Amino acid sequence: MTLSHAAKEMGKWCDGITGVEGSSGYLALLIVTAVGWLWINDSLPFQANGASKQIEEEEEEEVPDPPRNFTITQLRHFDGTVDQRTDEKKPVYLSVNGTVFDVSNGRDFYGPGGPYEVFAGRECGAALATMSFDEKLLDDVSACENLGVGDRNELQNWMEKFEHYRCYPIKGKLVPDDKLPSPDRIITMEELGKYDGNVQEVPEEFVGYGAAPIYVGAGDKVFDVSFGGVPMYGKDGPYQKFAGKDVSRALALMSFDPADLENTDVSDLEETKIKVLNDWINTFETKKGYPVVGKLGKEDAE
């Protein structure tokens, strides 16, 4: 049977079923239209290139967190051990000359039980450069500045290996305690407002920072929440409206009301609300580890 003869027989069959002469043409048009609709709406199980829709809809890559700052204490948390709160293994971070890398993919080397586990959660630039496990060389960024020429070259080799060969993600910068602003300095409301999360470039006076400072005032303290809170308090973050302000009243009332954000007075609040404020301050200082970088000079707001 030839192809044309088969087509004629198919046409007679369609006409017999529908009772309409030439119905096979309408049927063909309907099929083409349906296939076109499925194609346009990406509903075909397979596309022309043979790739299934399921394959095409691969998971989007996770957007990395913006760079952050770390204190020595914060960095120590990321040692690869099991987190008691979640029962999950913590990431493994380490710092090389102040640059913090996520070496979780090298957990067998830097995680618990690995040959370099002593470096997990630590600044270890000078130790790596001199191939030493001496505790005195850990958590001391300044030790990198005192290395000899040969050791400096070795330090640079480690940096390049981590960043370009191993491709360990850079998480931010380690800021030594002696480089943090004094917690006793007085910060005026005007100065507080400068660090509102909108500045992306690190100001010149904050040498060694990986992210621009973001200040939040609570109680009589000013916290720098760029040490882990950039996604929340930075530009376009859900709590950015708290950045650069004394938010004591807003925190106590758990409020985003502009009136509470502008009003810093908590003297009229009941004891239960003051407790909420103190809980927030404890969370900032103890649980989050945000460094206190000054005291609020509230008298200039009165």
Short mmCIF file of all heavy atoms in Angstrom, two decimals, residues 28-52:
data_model
loop_
_atom_site.label_atom_id
_atom_site.label_comp_id
_atom_site.label_asym_id
_atom_site.label_seq_id
_atom_site.Cartn_x
_atom_site.Cartn_y
_atom_site.Cartn_z
N ALA A 28 -6.30 16.89 11.04
CA ALA A 28 -4.86 17.19 10.95
C ALA A 28 -4.57 18.59 11.48
O ALA A 28 -3.59 18.83 12.19
CB ALA A 28 -4.40 17.06 9.50
N LEU A 29 -5.46 19.55 11.11
CA LEU A 29 -5.28 20.93 11.57
C LEU A 29 -5.38 21.01 13.09
O LEU A 29 -4.61 21.70 13.76
CB LEU A 29 -6.35 21.82 10.93
CG LEU A 29 -6.30 23.31 11.31
CD1 LEU A 29 -4.97 23.93 10.90
CD2 LEU A 29 -7.47 24.06 10.66
N LEU A 30 -6.33 20.23 13.67
CA LEU A 30 -6.51 20.21 15.12
C LEU A 30 -5.26 19.67 15.82
O LEU A 30 -4.81 20.20 16.83
CB LEU A 30 -7.72 19.35 15.48
CG LEU A 30 -8.04 19.21 16.97
CD1 LEU A 30 -8.37 20.58 17.58
CD2 LEU A 30 -9.20 18.24 17.18
N ILE A 31 -4.70 18.60 15.24
CA ILE A 31 -3.50 17.99 15.83
C ILE A 31 -2.33 18.97 15.81
O ILE A 31 -1.61 19.16 16.79
CB ILE A 31 -3.14 16.69 15.10
CG1 ILE A 31 -4.19 15.63 15.38
CG2 ILE A 31 -1.76 16.18 15.54
CD1 ILE A 31 -4.03 14.35 14.54
N VAL A 32 -2.14 19.64 14.66
CA VAL A 32 -1.05 20.62 14.53
C VAL A 32 -1.21 21.75 15.53
O VAL A 32 -0.26 22.20 16.18
CB VAL A 32 -0.98 21.16 13.09
CG1 VAL A 32 -0.02 22.34 13.01
CG2 VAL A 32 -0.57 20.05 12.13
N THR A 33 -2.45 22.22 15.67
CA THR A 33 -2.73 23.31 16.60
C THR A 33 -2.41 22.90 18.04
O THR A 33 -1.81 23.65 18.81
CB THR A 33 -4.21 23.74 16.51
OG1 THR A 33 -4.49 24.14 15.18
CG2 THR A 33 -4.49 24.91 17.45
N ALA A 34 -2.82 21.67 18.40
CA ALA A 34 -2.59 21.18 19.76
C ALA A 34 -1.10 21.06 20.06
O ALA A 34 -0.61 21.45 21.12
CB ALA A 34 -3.28 19.84 19.97
N VAL A 35 -0.37 20.50 19.06
CA VAL A 35 1.08 20.35 19.25
C VAL A 35 1.74 21.71 19.39
O VAL A 35 2.63 21.92 20.22
CB VAL A 35 1.69 19.55 18.08
CG1 VAL A 35 3.22 19.59 18.14
CG2 VAL A 35 1.21 18.11 18.11
N GLY A 36 1.29 22.68 18.58
CA GLY A 36 1.85 24.03 18.67
C GLY A 36 1.62 24.66 20.03
O GLY A 36 2.49 25.31 20.60
N TRP A 37 0.40 24.46 20.55
CA TRP A 37 0.09 25.02 21.89
C TRP A 37 0.99 24.43 22.96
O TRP A 37 1.52 25.11 23.82
CB TRP A 37 -1.37 24.76 22.22
CG TRP A 37 -1.81 25.40 23.52
CD1 TRP A 37 -2.34 26.64 23.67
CD2 TRP A 37 -1.74 24.81 24.82
NE1 TRP A 37 -2.61 26.88 25.01
CE2 TRP A 37 -2.25 25.77 25.73
CE3 TRP A 37 -1.32 23.58 25.29
CZ2 TRP A 37 -2.33 25.53 27.09
CZ3 TRP A 37 -1.38 23.34 26.65
CH2 TRP A 37 -1.89 24.30 27.55
N LEU A 38 1.17 23.09 22.89
CA LEU A 38 2.03 22.40 23.86
C LEU A 38 3.46 22.89 23.75
O LEU A 38 4.17 23.08 24.75
CB LEU A 38 1.97 20.89 23.65
CG LEU A 38 0.65 20.21 24.02
CD1 LEU A 38 0.65 18.76 23.55
CD2 LEU A 38 0.42 20.26 25.54
N TRP A 39 3.90 23.12 22.52
CA TRP A 39 5.28 23.58 22.31
C TRP A 39 5.48 24.96 22.92
O TRP A 39 6.45 25.20 23.64
CB TRP A 39 5.56 23.60 20.81
CG TRP A 39 6.96 24.05 20.48
CD1 TRP A 39 7.39 25.32 20.32
CD2 TRP A 39 8.09 23.21 20.28
NE1 TRP A 39 8.72 25.34 20.03
CE2 TRP A 39 9.18 24.06 20.01
CE3 TRP A 39 8.29 21.84 20.30
CZ2 TRP A 39 10.45 23.57 19.75
CZ3 TRP A 39 9.56 21.36 20.06
CH2 TRP A 39 10.62 22.21 19.79
N ILE A 40 4.57 25.86 22.60
CA ILE A 40 4.69 27.24 23.10
C ILE A 40 4.66 27.28 24.61
O ILE A 40 5.37 28.04 25.26
CB ILE A 40 3.56 28.12 22.51
CG1 ILE A 40 3.77 28.29 21.01
CG2 ILE A 40 3.49 29.47 23.21
CD1 ILE A 40 2.61 28.96 20.30
N ASN A 41 3.82 26.44 25.21
CA ASN A 41 3.67 26.45 26.67
C ASN A 41 4.60 25.48 27.38
O ASN A 41 4.45 25.19 28.56
CB ASN A 41 2.22 26.14 27.05
CG ASN A 41 1.29 27.28 26.72
OD1 ASN A 41 1.14 28.22 27.49
ND2 ASN A 41 0.67 27.21 25.53
N ASP A 42 5.61 24.99 26.62
CA ASP A 42 6.64 24.13 27.23
C ASP A 42 6.05 22.90 27.88
O ASP A 42 6.54 22.43 28.90
CB ASP A 42 7.42 24.92 28.29
CG ASP A 42 8.90 24.93 27.98
OD1 ASP A 42 9.28 24.37 26.93
OD2 ASP A 42 9.67 25.49 28.78
N SER A 43 4.95 22.34 27.30
CA SER A 43 4.29 21.21 27.92
C SER A 43 4.60 19.88 27.25
O SER A 43 4.11 18.84 27.66
CB SER A 43 2.76 21.43 27.91
OG SER A 43 2.44 22.56 28.67
N LEU A 44 5.41 19.90 26.21
CA LEU A 44 5.79 18.64 25.59
C LEU A 44 6.78 17.90 26.47
O LEU A 44 7.67 18.50 27.06
CB LEU A 44 6.45 18.91 24.23
CG LEU A 44 5.52 19.34 23.10
CD1 LEU A 44 6.35 19.68 21.87
CD2 LEU A 44 4.53 18.24 22.77
N PRO A 45 6.63 16.56 26.58
CA PRO A 45 7.56 15.82 27.42
C PRO A 45 8.99 15.88 26.90
O PRO A 45 9.94 15.81 27.65
CB PRO A 45 7.01 14.39 27.37
CG PRO A 45 6.18 14.33 26.14
CD PRO A 45 5.62 15.70 25.96
N PHE A 46 9.16 16.05 25.57
CA PHE A 46 10.49 16.17 25.01
C PHE A 46 10.49 17.30 23.99
O PHE A 46 9.55 17.48 23.24
CB PHE A 46 10.91 14.87 24.32
CG PHE A 46 11.18 13.75 25.27
CD1 PHE A 46 10.16 12.88 25.63
CD2 PHE A 46 12.42 13.59 25.83
CE1 PHE A 46 10.39 11.86 26.52
CE2 PHE A 46 12.67 12.56 26.72
CZ PHE A 46 11.66 11.69 27.07
N GLN A 47 11.60 18.06 23.97
CA GLN A 47 11.73 19.15 23.01
C GLN A 47 12.49 18.64 21.79
O GLN A 47 12.95 17.49 21.73
CB GLN A 47 12.48 20.32 23.66
CG GLN A 47 11.78 20.87 24.90
CD GLN A 47 10.42 21.49 24.58
OE1 GLN A 47 10.15 21.81 23.43
NE2 GLN A 47 9.59 21.66 25.58
N ALA A 48 12.65 19.52 20.80
CA ALA A 48 13.25 19.11 19.55
C ALA A 48 14.67 18.61 19.73
O ALA A 48 15.15 17.78 18.97
CB ALA A 48 13.24 20.29 18.56
N ASN A 49 15.38 19.15 20.72
CA ASN A 49 16.76 18.73 20.92
C ASN A 49 16.87 17.44 21.72
O ASN A 49 17.95 17.00 22.06
CB ASN A 49 17.56 19.83 21.62
CG ASN A 49 17.00 20.17 22.98
OD1 ASN A 49 16.06 19.53 23.45
ND2 ASN A 49 17.58 21.17 23.63
N GLY A 50 15.73 16.82 22.05
CA GLY A 50 15.74 15.55 22.75
C GLY A 50 15.86 15.67 24.25
O GLY A 50 15.83 14.67 24.96
N ALA A 51 16.01 16.87 24.77
CA ALA A 51 16.15 17.06 26.22
C ALA A 51 14.77 17.17 26.84
O ALA A 51 13.91 17.88 26.35
CB ALA A 51 16.96 18.32 26.50
N SER A 52 14.53 16.46 27.89
CA SER A 52 13.23 16.51 28.55
C SER A 52 13.05 17.81 29.30
O SER A 52 14.02 18.47 29.69
CB SER A 52 13.08 15.34 29.52
OG SER A 52 13.92 15.52 30.63
#
